[in-house]
Each structure stands twice: as structure tokens, then as C-alpha cells.
Amino acid sequence: GAVVSQHPSWVICKSGTSVKIECRSLDFQATTMFWYRQFPKQSLMLMATSNEGSKATYEQGVEKDKFLINHASLTLSTLTVTSAHPEDSSFYICSARDRGRPSYEQYFGPGTRLTVT
Amino acid sequence: AQSVAQPEDQVNVAEGNPLTVKCTYSVSGNPYLFWYVQYPNRGLQFLLKYITGDNLVKGSYGFEAEFNKSQTSFHLKKPSALVSDSALYFCAVRDGSGAGSYQLTFGKGTKLSVIP
């Protein structure tokens, strides 16, 4: 089946530094990838949609200069949290859509736990 | 705009008893409906989906869900709960009419606790 990986699975960084999270589709080509943020005991909030080779589309209220998304290939999207602050601490989950499968199928990564101290 | 409501923050059920996790939705076009399960510090695992066809959908781990168009509901059910079913469950919807993007909208989640 379709597998999506995320790296790292958890990361701790100091306030003011930047952190990059990778999302990879391991056995399929993902034309579209989605980035979600999940606060404790809350639902997933869509942050942005990234399409391979084009700029990401950010949801209202998400700072594009703070959450940089790059989708340079059909198997890799990255989310960079720039100048991280403690309020950016969260669980970040990506999902990917297989270009060879129906559009309603999304495959989720295992998530990345970011803690900013 | 599309939305999902999961009216219960938590559902407690005894092991071996049937379980139901409720979900209602709102979408302008035809609904594509999904259930996902999340274990602590893990990503989402797909359980089942309704796209078209039979209103009763069977999925992974013995779960099923019934699509009810008139009540705009898609409740998740299982005839006999297991302790290992204890997790966080999310209902999600997408507009299947083709308008807009492929975005899923999630409910806030329901924590299921199965008591031994």
C-alpha cells in the first residue's frame, strides 16, 4: 500500500531557530501534499496545500513567511518553521495524494512532534 | 463551505459491547466521507470511506459506517468493542462534486475508551 514517511518523528529546538520537516511518498508519486497542524486533544487543521513544482496555497491565518513549504519533486515536500517560538510547538502531519489513484484518497504520514523551548 | 460535527468528545463502552461514534456533516455537493483512527503520537490510519453505492460501508478492523443522506450523518459502528479499539477517531468530509480542491475537513475527534 501507499506509504508516507515523515522525518524527523520528533524534534526539540530553541526559540529563534528554524526547523525543517520532510514528508516523503515512498512508493508512489504525489502531485499534491497537504500539511496539517494538530494541537493537543484537537482536530487537524489544514495549513497549506502544496503542488509539485508550484507555490503552496496557504489557509487563511497561516503565515506563509513563517511556514515555508517546498514541493520540489513528486516524492518530497518540506515544511520549514522559521524563527520558531514556543507557540509553534505542535504535532505536524502531512498527507499525500497519489497521482495514479482517485482524487479522494489521501495517505497520511506518522507525524512530527515539534517542541520549541 | 464544508464542515463536520462530532458531538461527543468522549465515548466509553464496555469490552464486547457495540459501539457507535457519531458524525454529521455539511457539504454543498455530493459528500465523500471518511473515518480515520489515531493512536497517541501517531498519524492517521484510514478506516473506511463512503463515496457512492451502498449506504453501509465496511472497513478495517471490523468497523462499519452507515451513510444517511436525509440526516446528513455517517456514524461509525462496531458490533463488539475491543480494548485495543481505544483511540481517537476522526470523521472527515470532502465535496465530491469536483468543485474546489481536494481538501478534507475534519471533525474535532472523539476519544473512544473501551473498558475491560
Side-chain angles (χ1 to χ4, degrees):
Chain A
V3 178
V4 176
S5 70
Q6 283 184 240
H7 178 80
S9 55
W10 60 270
V11 57
I12 301 173
C13 71
K14 292 186 177 181
S15 186
T17 62
S18 295
V19 175
K20 180 184 285 188
I21 302 170
E22 294 184 348
C23 176
R24 292 184 184 271
S25 57
L26 298 186
D27 50 1
F28 65 96
Q29 293 182 326
T31 50
T32 305
M33 287 185 171
F34 303 90
W35 286 96
Y36 296 86
R37 184 173 180 177
Q38 185 181 27
F39 291 101
K41 300 182 180 180
Q42 293 192 28
S43 186
L44 280 73
M45 301 300 296
L46 180 66
M47 298 175 65
T49 302
S50 78
N51 292 295
E52 185 266 337
S54 63
K55 291 183 178 180
T57 302
Y58 290 81
E59 294 301 300
Q60 191 173 9
V62 178
E63 299 176 59
K64 60 181 66 177
D65 293 331
K66 181 168 186 60
F67 298 99
L68 300 179
I69 291 173
N70 183 277
H71 192 163
S73 78
L74 285 172
T75 59
L76 173 65
S77 177
T78 60
L79 168 67
T80 301
V81 183
T82 62
S83 187
H85 288 91
E87 57 266 30
D88 299 325
S89 299
S90 192
F91 195 53
Y92 292 88
I93 301 175
C94 74
S95 71
R97 191 173 71 83
D98 184 344
R99 69 187 302 184
R101 299 288 297 168
S103 64
Y104 50 75
E105 293 189 3
Q106 282 188 35
Y107 306 100
F108 286 82
T112 296
R113 172 76 59 194
L114 170 63
T115 302
V116 184
T117 61
Chain B
Q2 55 198 38
S3 64
V4 175
Q6 292 181 242
E8 302 153 318
D9 289 337
Q10 177 145 359
V11 169
N12 297 320
V13 64
E15 186 177 23
N17 282 3
L19 69 87
T20 299
V21 182
K22 296 180 181 177
C23 170
T24 58
Y25 67 90
S26 174
V27 68
S28 56
N30 295 322
Y32 287 178
L33 294 154
F34 306 82
W35 275 102
Y36 292 89
V37 60
Q38 184 182 35
Y39 295 95
N41 294 310
R42 302 292 296 274
L44 272 64
Q45 294 181 32
F46 170 79
L47 281 179
L48 52 78
K49 67 179 182 289
Y50 171 82
I51 304 299
T52 186
D54 289 341
N55 290 343
L56 184 63
V57 178
K58 293 186 182 297
S60 307
Y61 313 118
F63 284 94
E64 58 187 30
E66 186 166 13
F67 170 63
N68 188 317
K69 187 174 182 178
S70 63
Q71 298 184 5
T72 61
S73 67
F74 189 57
H75 302 330
L76 181 69
K77 299 182 179 183
K78 187 173 182 180
S80 178
L82 300 173
V83 173
S84 57
D85 293 330
S86 298
L88 189 58
Y89 290 80
F90 290 99
C91 181
V93 69
R94 208 205 98 184
D95 188 337
S97 66
S101 69
Y102 304 113
Q103 295 175 11
L104 286 174
T105 298
F106 288 86
K108 62 181 175 61
T110 298
K111 183 179 179 181
L112 172 67
S113 293
V114 181
I115 303 162

